[in-house]
Amino acid sequence: MRRIPILESGDIRVVRVESEGEDTIPEHTHEADEVAYVERGSAEITVEGKAFHVGEGEALLIPKGAKHWASLRNCTLIAFYHP
């Protein structure tokens, strides 16, 4: 899995996450809202114990402070962070 920073400007951050095969992002939180957009493949994102399937072209809003983790499958995910 590769994480590629795209933009960091003030409070805004954008990161591209590329996964070939299956990868897991461990449980964590952020001090900003996150929008996770799946550009390719699919992701299973669990937020505060509730699982969401996010496919190509779909996005999920993860509120700041929410515990979440993800399972990625041949996935390119763009994560947008803003307070």
Side-chain angles (χ1 to χ4, degrees):
M1 179 169 46
R2 291 182 359 156
R3 296 172 195 253
I4 304 157
I6 296 173
L7 171 71
E8 287 197 37
S9 178
D11 292 336
I12 299 171
R13 187 165 55 106
V14 181
V15 178
R16 179 184 191 94
V17 180
E18 296 178 346
S19 168
E20 298 298 330
E22 292 193 22
D23 287 294
T24 300
I25 298 172
E27 185 175 80
H28 61 284
T29 63
H30 300 284
E31 293 185 18
D33 288 333
E34 175 182 356
V35 174
Y37 171 77
V38 175
E39 183 177 80
R40 174 184 66 89
S42 65
E44 188 81 19
I45 303 174
T46 302
V47 181
E48 294 291 339
K50 185 173 180 184
F52 299 89
H53 175 82
V54 187
E56 286 185 17
E58 297 178 331
L60 179 68
L61 173 63
I62 303 167
K64 70 179 178 180
K67 291 182 183 178
H68 61 286
W69 66 276
S71 175
L72 309 178
R73 288 177 214 85
N74 296 312
C75 183
T76 298
L77 183 142
I78 310 295
F80 302 86
Y81 303 93
H82 190 276

